[in-house]
Amino acid sequence: MQKFFVLLILALIALACGGGEDAPSEAPAKKEAAAQEIDVKKIWKIRCIACHGLYGDMGTNGAANLQEVTSSLEDRIKIITNGSENGVMTAFGEILSEEEIEAMAKYTMSFNEDL
């Protein structure tokens, strides 16, 4: 029974980090996001927290420690849109709207404001 739960947790982490396909029902939400206020914390909890953690420093599955990353807003937007060059992070360009991606990139910059 314990092995089942460990496998279940690992599968959930893999899916949360982008291992799963986007459900067709999410496509309309992407188009409507531009008209709505973007809730970056909600997106973070759904899409990012499993690998980056609550404060951006967890590093599960090789995720970057966002408290130490000093890349520009433009670079962060590219990584969120296209995924990381090393293939660790999945691309969100077809999952999130451009506005959501920009908002998320700005949000990730808040993790290292004290540096």
Side-chain angles (χ1 to χ4, degrees):
M1 189 70 161
Q2 231 176 358
K3 290 181 183 181
F4 172 75
F5 285 116
V6 171
L7 288 174
L8 179 64
I9 290 171
L10 291 174
L12 289 173
I13 289 172
L15 286 173
C17 291
E21 290 296 318
D22 207 27
S25 62
E26 292 185 35
K30 179 180 172 184
K31 292 177 184 174
E32 294 173 11
Q36 299 175 4
E37 186 175 324
I38 298 168
D39 187 350
V40 292
K41 291 184 179 183
K42 181 178 180 181
I43 295 170
W44 182 262
K45 289 176 183 175
I46 294 170
R47 302 282 182 190
C48 312
I49 201 167
C51 293
H52 289 288
L54 185 59
Y55 304 106
D57 62 346
M58 192 162 78
T60 302
N61 297 329
N65 180 342
L66 298 174
Q67 291 184 9
E68 297 175 351
V69 172
T70 59
S71 55
S72 68
L73 178 63
E74 293 78 22
D75 287 340
R76 291 169 191 248
I77 289 171
K78 286 179 189 175
I79 292 170
I80 295 169
T81 302
N82 304 315
S84 59
E85 289 181 12
N86 63 6
V88 170
M89 183 170 152
T90 190
F92 287 96
E94 294 189 19
I95 298 170
L96 301 174
S97 70
E98 289 180 21
E99 293 81 9
E100 289 173 321
I101 290 171
E102 183 176 350
M104 291 306 301
K106 288 178 181 176
Y107 182 68
T108 65
M109 296 183 94
S110 72
F111 290 120
N112 64 0
E113 286 179 343
D114 295 332
L115 298 178

